[in-house]
Every structure is written in structure tokens, then in C-alpha cells.
Amino acid sequence: MKLFFMHRYFTYIIVFLFLVACDNNTPEEVRFTEQQIESLHLSGTQVLEPQTDSIIHINLTPFLGKREFDFGNIVKEVKIVPLETTKNSLLDGIYKVITTDEYIYIMDNFKGKSLIIFTKEGKFIKRLSHGQGPGELQRLYDIDYDFQTNELIAYQHSFFLFFDKEGNFLRQERLPINFDNFISLDNGYILRTAPVQGNTHLDDKEGYTFLFTDKIFTLKSVAVYQPKDIKAMSAHTYLYKNDSLITLAGRYSDSIYKYDAKKNKLYTEFVLDYDKKLPKKYLYGENFRVFQEVTKNNDYYFNIGEYFETFSQNVFFLWNNYINLQTIVYRDKKTGNMIGGTSAMLNLEEVPAFNFPIGVDKNYFVSVYNPYINRYEKLKNSKLISEADKEKIKQFKDDDNPMLVYFTLKEF
């Protein structure tokens, strides 16, 4: 059976429109104190030039257009985690999923972005409250988990809020830089910024996209210069962490960078090559509507910076507004083989109809599954799904939260 993964597409369109509205408004100027500016130690900040001696060029042209691919044949393992449904745990569009050995942290669209915690088995723990009090969320931009200190970090303008793994508030820190996204490393943070974010106090470092700091926000390095603001769509994040795999995706640059935290070195790992690329002049248009009009009426493809990676596979995404579909391409790291397209062929008696991946957990891709009541009858004889997971599907109700699907792929 052929499945079109449109749920993810429409979810991201909503995200895009929200982010574009934010991106087209210059953030209010934050007045940084002299002490904050001095703490950055800008005189010692280095420019990190991406090394290019081992670039892999990925030819995505064969996967363009409306294309089916045999996805079901490469699925190796499927684990299902139902997210407990209560009055306080109802999810409103999932932006980000972080999985640890004990908990699952989800940022969703509740009240304009929220943070909710489940156990690894999907039992609801808590949703962090909104407000202006200590530990309450307001204008949440991003979340990450510090695996060294076992702290959950929520980024809101312009503070980091730190929680323990159960979501109990610990402290907050005022930030000396404006940015959109971040990831926490053992020895610091990587921040993703944009030219319009009011970082004039960074002087000649202001135009760099990626900022590398230590844990006390000394600005150690900067990388990937982007002096002009892009008026096209925005991805939610361009920073990807999976255990020791640290990846930075360039916004509309078709480049994917690998960061070695121990050596403080940046590598251009992949360059995406494909026909019908969107001309760059439309990225810097007067406003988002220029970009939208051109891409809806022309068969252009563009990479907004989405990328995922497990220990065994890479996943690349291209968008096309003309055909109103997203192209996904899986690449096997060992063989270099690729498979992908816009719609997947699945045997629905073996594999549940889950969406494109929205996260990773070591060697698992993480996706979302919205089953309906009679789906159990289709899957009850599946060899890929455990009896325990079949029972979870059997108990599903139409108004329940979606289930998370953790899946691995065979070598192909």
C-alpha cells in the first residue's frame, strides 16, 4: 500500500508561518551590560573555517518529483511508545523530541510552545507551567538535555532555565547573546543566530551563524558567515545532537557540517547536489510572500536545513511547494546506498503507517503514529511488532495522544 506522509508537511507549514512571522520582525534590542560583554572575551574568539578535504557530494536528482520508494522492505525494528493522554498532557503539534534512558522530553505548540515530560514508557510526568514566575515558561525557543549534568535546559528570550531530569526548577541564567537554537555539549554550547537578532555587541563576529561557547558563555569560536537576512521559510532548528554525533545544517546552503567537540574542529561533511535548485535571489526577497509566490508557481527544490542521523543512516530532506510534497532520502553509512522519494510503499500488515522522522535516539529514528481503532486488526499478525506493542495499538482511542515510533533500518 502507498502512503503519503502529508501530516508532517502540514505540521511544518504551520511552524513555518509562525516562524516567518517572527523572523520578519526585528527582535527588541536587549541591552547587555558591560560585564556581560566583557564575559564573552571577544578578543580571543576564533573564526572556525570548515575543513573541506573529505566532502561527500550527495546527488538527490534521481529522487526529485513524485516518487514512490519501497520503505517497508528496509524497516528492521519497530518499537511503539503511547504517550499517556490526560487533561494536562494533550499534545498540540510536536516540534522536538529528546529521549534519555529514563524520560522523553517533547516541545509542542501548546500556548505557542511548551515543554512536556513523559517516562521512557510514555507515562505522563508533567507539563512545565507558563508564566513569569521562577521556572515558568514564557516565549520558549528551544530545549536540550545536558547528558553530563543530567539537566533539562529550556531557552527562552533571554534566559536559560535549568531543570532536573524530572522537571523540577533549579536555576536560571541570563544570556549575553541573542539566538534562536542551541545544543548543550559537555564543555559548552553551540548557538545558532541570524543577522537580525540585535547582536551588535559582538562587533565583527555578529554576522556568523554558529557560535561556540564554554559553559560560562565565553565566546570561543564562530563559524559560517551570513551577513544578510534570509526572508524565505525557516526550519525549526539547524542543530542536531545524537550522542557524540554533532551536526550543523546550513540555512539554504545545501551544506551539512560535522563538529568535533573534542578537537573544536568543523568539517563540511555533505554537500547536497540536485537539479531545479531555487535561485538564491529569492531567498533574500523583500518579504516571505515573494518567496512563497515564486516557489508555488515554479518547480523549485530547496533545503531548509532539516537533517537527521543515526549511527547507521543519514536522512536528507528537500522541499517543493510547486508539487506540495517533501522529498526524503535515506542513506546507508556503510554502503553509501540511498533510497527515497515523496511516498512510501508499505505492507500495512507488517509496518504501521508512521510519518517521516522527527528525531533520533542513538540508532533509532523517532516518528509519530496516529492509529485509528481498527488498525489492530491489520497489524495483529505482524512479525515486526511485539505482542506488547500490538496490545498498545489495540487499546488506542481516537482522541488519544499520538504514539511515538522508534524504528531502525536494515543495511541497504
Side-chain angles (χ1 to χ4, degrees), residues 72-73 75-78 80 346-354 375 377-386 390 393:
N73 198 42
V75 176
K76 180 179 180 181
E77 180 186 3
V78 174
I80 292 177
L346 292 174
N347 178 354
L348 294 184
E349 294 183 352
E350 284 294 332
V351 182
F354 50 82
R375 178 55 60 195
E377 291 301 317
K378 284 277 188 179
L379 292 167
K380 64 183 180 181
N381 296 317
S382 169
K383 297 180 178 64
L384 281 176
I385 302 176
S386 69
K390 290 175 186 175
I393 296 172

Side-chain angles (χ1 to χ4, degrees), residues 32 37 40 42 176-178 193 198-208 211 219 222:
F32 297 101
I37 296 173
L40 294 169
L42 294 174
I177 304 170
N178 291 319
T193 187
N199 285 318
T200 55
H201 64 298
L202 298 184
D203 298 328
D204 61 335
K205 309 301 189 297
E206 180 187 7
Y208 287 88
L211 312 181
L219 187 57
V222 295

Side-chain angles (χ1 to χ4, degrees), residues 6 19 26 28-29 41 59 88 116 144 154 192 203 241 276 282 295 311 315 338 350 381:
M6 295 302 294
L19 289 171
T26 303
E28 69 270 20
E29 186 70 27
H41 296 286
N59 180 18
N88 294 323
I116 185 168
D144 198 27
R192 201 284 296 190
D203 298 328
K241 179 176 75 174
K276 301 180 182 179
Y282 296 120
T295 54
F311 297 161
V315 173
M338 296 189 292
E350 284 294 332
N381 296 317

Side-chain angles (χ1 to χ4, degrees), residues 104-277:
I104 297 171
Y105 305 98
I106 294 178
M107 184 166 73
D108 73 343
N109 194 37
F110 179 73
K111 291 190 176 181
K113 289 200 185 81
S114 182
L115 176 50
I116 185 168
I117 305 174
F118 296 89
T119 67
K120 191 76 174 286
E121 294 73 35
K123 180 178 175 55
F124 173 62
I125 299 297
K126 71 188 303 183
R127 183 190 293 276
L128 275 63
S129 61
H130 284 74
Q132 300 183 28
E136 293 184 320
L137 302 180
Q138 183 185 30
R139 297 186 64 188
L140 181 64
Y141 277 64
D142 202 0
I143 64 171
D144 198 27
Y145 192 82
D146 189 327
F147 285 87
Q148 185 181 51
T149 62
N150 281 322
E151 291 178 330
L152 175 65
I153 308 173
Y155 166 49
Q156 61 182 35
H157 192 75
S158 52
F159 294 90
F160 269 167
L161 277 61
F162 294 84
F163 304 85
D164 66 17
K165 60 186 180 180
E166 290 89 10
N168 300 306
F169 179 62
L170 300 174
R171 67 190 185 281
Q172 74 176 24
E173 293 183 14
R174 178 74 182 270
L175 302 170
I177 304 170
N178 291 319
F179 54 95
D180 285 332
N181 307 117
F182 80 101
I183 52 176
S184 175
L185 308 176
D186 287 348
N187 59 353
Y189 304 100
I190 303 178
L191 319 176
R192 201 284 296 190
T193 187
V196 296
Q197 292 191 279
N199 285 318
T200 55
H201 64 298
L202 298 184
D203 298 328
D204 61 335
K205 309 301 189 297
E206 180 187 7
Y208 287 88
T209 302
F210 302 112
L211 312 181
F212 303 80
T213 77
D214 59 19
K215 287 295 187 182
I216 59 172
F217 296 101
T218 300
L219 187 57
K220 309 296 287 186
S221 308
V222 295
V224 185
Y225 190 65
Q226 182 192 302
K228 294 179 65 178
D229 181 41
I230 292 175
K231 300 295 178 62
M233 288 179 173
S234 296
H236 176 65
T237 181
Y238 303 86
L239 306 175
Y240 302 94
K241 179 176 75 174
N242 184 11
D243 201 76
S244 62
L245 301 174
I246 307 297
T247 307
L248 292 65
R251 188 178 182 192
Y252 289 92
S253 71
D254 296 318
S255 295
I256 297 172
Y257 306 96
K258 183 71 67 183
Y259 180 64
D260 187 327
K262 292 183 179 178
K263 297 179 180 179
N264 189 34
K265 288 191 175 183
L266 190 66
Y267 304 86
T268 306
E269 184 176 22
F270 299 111
V271 171
L272 306 184
D273 297 324
Y274 49 94
D275 294 339
K276 301 180 182 179
K277 283 191 178 183

Side-chain angles (χ1 to χ4, degrees), residues 12-30:
Y12 269 87
I13 286 296
I14 294 171
V15 175
F16 288 149
L17 293 176
F18 171 80
L19 289 171
V20 167
C22 295
D23 286 350
N24 285 342
N25 294 310
T26 303
E28 69 270 20
E29 186 70 27
V30 175

